[in-house]
Amino acid sequence: MNHQFDLTGKVALVTGASYGIGFAIASALAEAGATIVFNDIKQELVDKGVAAYAEQGVTVHGYVCDVTNEDAVNELVSKVEAEVGVIDVLVNNAGIIKRIPMVEMSAKDFRQVIDVDLNAPFIVSKAVIPSMIKKGGGKIINICSMMSELGRETVSAYAAAKGGLKMLTKNIASEYGQYNIQCNGIGPGYIATPQTAPLREVQPDGSKHPFDQFILAKTPANRWGEASDLGGPAVFLASAASDFVNGHILYVDGGILAYIGKQP
């Protein structure tokens, strides 16, 4: 079975993968044999990412690119094809969130979240699909969210974008499945990252943070996910093992979406 998950010879572009979830996914793809290409919006972040991969013994190709800029993305893809090779696997990971009550959120802020979390995956996917068609196939993995299915206070823009990304995933699968292109999504649950660390801090009285308690109570696995929990699903969706899986959103959430919660 191992050959089905082997990514040797494949070029994988993971957007925004200098740290966090994108870094963990790219690292897993590299371990499976893929050549990793990633971007970030600033040279400083790209340099830090390259150094972090090097610490793991992984050689990567890092580029500066704003994935909301269509001309810049087209230039990036052309450069990658010339310097590394045709992109076999695209992971649309770059994203932002702004936690603001809807009635207090400006249309400008709303549009920015939509631009990064939904328009950018459209732009980057559109840029890589023609070469995937010429090569005879490819894999696109969109990083969705539980907010692709659920709403929550203060995340109207994020939920709207991730819900849209779920449907973009299904539509790419519908439109380009005939060319042996599989487009699927991964929907992470609550992941323990540096960004969520303040929500997991022990309180002065020794108790868990209220949000930490809330998440643990809602998660059958009774823990936060680790970024490494996303590696296996990503390798599966990037490999030949998923050649007949298309338009699917794989939720890696410890069971949250399956669980109604404990009775008070």
Side-chain angles (χ1 to χ4, degrees), residues 64 66 72 140:
V64 176
D66 177 356
I140 298 174

Side-chain angles (χ1 to χ4, degrees), residues 98 105-114:
K98 295 194 173 191
M105 189 175 209
S106 69
K108 180 181 178 181
D109 282 339
F110 188 93
R111 290 190 189 100
Q112 184 184 10
V113 175
I114 297 294

Side-chain angles (χ1 to χ4, degrees), residues 46-201:
V46 171
D47 292 343
K48 286 183 178 179
V50 170
Y53 287 109
E55 287 182 7
Q56 295 191 344
V58 178
T59 300
V60 297
H61 304 267
Y63 296 86
V64 176
C65 180
D66 177 356
V67 287
T68 67
N69 183 321
E70 187 168 13
D71 290 338
V73 167
N74 290 335
E75 182 180 343
L76 169 67
V77 171
S78 295
K79 189 178 293 186
V80 171
E81 290 183 354
E83 297 177 358
V84 186
V86 171
I87 294 163
D88 300 286
V89 179
L90 166 65
V91 182
N92 282 309
N93 165 76
I96 62 171
I97 186 170
K98 295 194 173 191
R99 295 181 176 88
I100 305 171
M102 181 175 167
V103 297
E104 298 174 16
M105 189 175 209
S106 69
K108 180 181 178 181
D109 282 339
F110 188 93
R111 290 190 189 100
Q112 184 184 10
V113 175
I114 297 294
D115 205 22
V116 176
D117 292 356
L118 181 56
N119 289 342
F122 164 77
I123 289 169
V124 185
S125 298
K126 187 161 74 82
V128 304
I129 284 172
S131 291
M132 286 183 174
I133 292 174
K134 290 179 184 177
K135 193 169 183 177
K139 305 280 186 174
I140 298 174
I141 303 170
N142 291 324
I143 303 304
C144 296
S145 166
M146 288 187 299
M147 299 302 109
S148 297
E149 300 289 342
L150 300 172
R152 190 170 176 275
E153 299 85 355
T154 77
V155 293
S156 58
Y158 184 79
K162 293 299 185 177
L165 186 57
K166 175 184 72 173
M167 293 312 301
L168 178 63
T169 300
K170 292 176 180 291
N171 205 81
I172 292 173
S174 301
E175 196 164 351
Y176 295 102
Q178 63 182 308
Y179 300 105
N180 191 33
I181 293 173
Q182 290 84 50
C183 182
N184 295 287
I186 293 176
Y190 284 91
I191 306 297
T193 64
Q195 288 77 14
T196 60
L199 301 175
R200 291 177 280 109
E201 288 181 349

